[in-house]
């Protein structure tokens, strides 16, 4: 049961992060393609967004490994 | 130097300062287990930060040049966090697990503080 719990924790965490990252990256790509001179600013926003979105699944991985 | 490169340099600098403080804590205080855990977590967190910075730079460069972009390295970062926890679980007598988890979150703290401090300056 521990392995199942770990799998569900990582899976749901990664699902949420995947959707979040997808939204952030798609908007950034759209922005850079439209205005390449704003690349630095958009890249910075994307970096902060992706970084914060990925904090949660990393915690999920940690919790999954502890409960296993 | 662009805005992104400056932010990268600042974040790495703060992470290095933090690592130096943690090394001194592990060397000179009696709380060796906690500081070693924090150090392990922070080293992996620093690797995650470096990987995120590099991958996003490569990604944006590829998009700007209209070349095909590769991934963002999400699985590598998850795997790095898993390695840190596996090391902490295997060598529990040297590393405190709670400290490793707190250490893993330091780069996010650095990112957020840097964002809030330098948001108004640029």
């Amino acid at each position: 049961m521990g392995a199942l719990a770990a799998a569900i924790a990582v899976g749901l965490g990664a699902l949420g992060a995947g959707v979040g990252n997808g939204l952030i990256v798609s908007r950034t790509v759209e922005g850079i393609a439209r205005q390449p001179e704003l690349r630095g600013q958009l890249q910075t926003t994307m970096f902060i967004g992706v970084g914060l979105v990925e904090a949660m699944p990393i915690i999920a991985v940690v919790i999954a490994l502890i409960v296993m | 130097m662009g805005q992104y490169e400056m932010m990268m340099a600042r974040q790495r600098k703060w992470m290095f300062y933090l690592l130096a403080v943690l090394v001194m804590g592990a060397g000179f205080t009696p709380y060796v287990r906690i500081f070693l855990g924090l150090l392990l977590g922070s080293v992996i967190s620093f690797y995650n930060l470096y990987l995120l910075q590099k991958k996003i730079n490569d990604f944006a460069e590829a998009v700007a040049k209209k070349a095909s972009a590769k991934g963002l390295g999400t699985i590598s970062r998850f795997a790095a966090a898993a390695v840190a926890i596996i090391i902490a679980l295997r060598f529990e007598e040297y590393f405190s697990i709670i400290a490793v988890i707190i250490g893993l979150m330091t780069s996010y703290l650095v990112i957020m503080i840097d964002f809030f401090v330098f948001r108004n300056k640029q």
Side-chain angles (χ1 to χ4, degrees), chain A residues 14 17 21 25 29 32-33 36 39-41 43-44 46-48 50-52 54-55 57-59 61-62 65-66, chain B residues 3-4 7 11 49 52-53 56-57 59-61 72 74 77-78 81-82 85 89 97 101 104-105 108 112 115:
Chain A
N21 272 350
V25 171
V29 168
I32 293 176
R39 185 186 140 191
Q41 212 173 338
Q43 209 175 330
T44 307
M46 177 179 164
F47 170 76
I48 292 163
V50 171
L52 295 186
E54 277 188 4
I58 284 180
I59 295 175
V61 168
V62 167
L65 277 168
I66 290 174
Chain B
Q3 184 189 351
Y4 186 72
M7 185 194 70
Q11 287 170 351
L49 180 74
L52 188 64
Q53 290 172 339
I56 286 187
N57 205 17
F59 183 85
E61 208 171 300
L72 287 175
T74 308
R77 284 193 291 281
F78 289 179
I85 286 298
L89 287 173
I97 292 174
I101 297 171
L104 274 174
M105 293 297 119
Y108 301 107
M112 278 193 271
F115 172 67

Side-chain angles (χ1 to χ4, degrees), chain A residues 4-66:
Chain A
L4 191 65
I8 291 172
V10 176
L12 289 181
L15 187 75
V19 173
N21 272 350
L23 289 173
I24 293 169
V25 171
S26 73
R27 297 290 154 86
T28 309
V29 168
E30 214 176 286
I32 293 176
R34 206 172 281 174
Q35 287 169 303
E37 70 274 7
L38 284 181
R39 185 186 140 191
Q41 212 173 338
L42 291 168
Q43 209 175 330
T44 307
T45 312
M46 177 179 164
F47 170 76
I48 292 163
V50 171
L52 295 186
V53 160
E54 277 188 4
M56 208 46 77
I58 284 180
I59 295 175
V61 168
V62 167
I63 290 172
L65 277 168
I66 290 174

